[in-house]
């Protein structure tokens, strides 16, 4: 799911963080959930490329310049392989306590996923064809 970060931010809520002052929320969309069904994980890279390509297309159509998301450290490295503009977001913990409904809602996912890295990447930094061709080059190199 893609969200307008100026309206709602599941990733910042999950991390119990405030948006950094230098992040323009009016031009940022947020990837709230990206999941690959277990039976498709053998071809996860191909599925991931397709998902990223569609997210980038939808983001450009919406006028977004950045995408914000969170993931485990290994998944962050996967994103960065497909879009080298991926960079960590240093967001400060919210000064007020986390609302009870957030604490209850996120308790189970936090137990399953553990520590998350917040990061953004530039929509213009990976046009769909660039994402796909970078994937093909990586795959071809791996077969040699």
């Amino acid at each position: 799911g893609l969200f307008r970060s100026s309206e709602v931010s599941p990733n910042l809520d999950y991390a119990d963080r405030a948006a950094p002052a230098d992040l323009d929320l009016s031009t940022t969309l947020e990837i709230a959930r990206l999941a690959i069904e277990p039976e498709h994980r053998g071809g996860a890279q191909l599925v991931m490329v397709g998902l990223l390509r569609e997210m980038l297309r939808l983001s450009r159509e919406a006028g977004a310049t950045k995408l914000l998301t969170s993931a485990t450290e290994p998944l962050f490295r996967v994103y960065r392989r497909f879009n080298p503009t991926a960079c960590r977001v240093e967001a400060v913990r919210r000064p007020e306590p986390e609302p009870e409904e957030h604490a209850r809602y996120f308790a189970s996912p936090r137990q399953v996923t553990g520590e998350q890295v917040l990061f953004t990447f530039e929509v213009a930094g990976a046009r769909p064809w660039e994402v796909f061709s970078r994937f093909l080059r990586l795959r071809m190199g791996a077969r040699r």
Side-chain angles (χ1 to χ4, degrees), residues 17-128:
R17 306 285 176 178
D22 62 343
L23 182 61
D24 182 0
L25 297 180
S26 69
T27 59
T28 302
L29 288 181
E30 185 165 337
I31 302 170
R33 182 59 75 199
L34 175 62
I36 298 171
E37 294 286 338
E39 62 268 16
H40 298 292
R41 289 186 184 157
Q45 286 188 329
L46 183 58
V47 173
M48 179 75 122
V49 167
L51 290 171
L52 287 173
R53 183 183 67 81
E54 284 304 298
M55 283 187 292
L56 292 167
R57 182 185 62 77
L58 291 169
S59 298
R60 278 196 323 278
E61 289 174 4
T65 59
K66 284 189 178 184
L67 290 170
L68 169 69
T69 194
S70 63
T72 60
E73 181 67 34
L75 188 53
F76 167 68
R77 290 192 298 268
V78 169
Y79 272 100
R80 196 172 50 203
R81 260 199 339 253
F82 291 116
N83 187 333
T85 66
C87 64
R88 294 172 188 269
V89 170
E90 297 303 324
V92 297
R93 190 163 297 282
R94 288 194 178 117
E96 68 275 358
E98 182 177 55
E100 176 60 28
E101 65 272 10
H102 285 184
R104 282 182 295 143
Y105 178 81
F106 289 122
S108 177
R110 285 178 179 144
Q111 288 175 351
V112 173
T113 61
E115 191 65 30
Q116 299 283 296
V117 174
L118 276 168
F119 62 98
T120 62
F121 53 92
E122 303 287 330
V123 171
R127 290 187 281 287

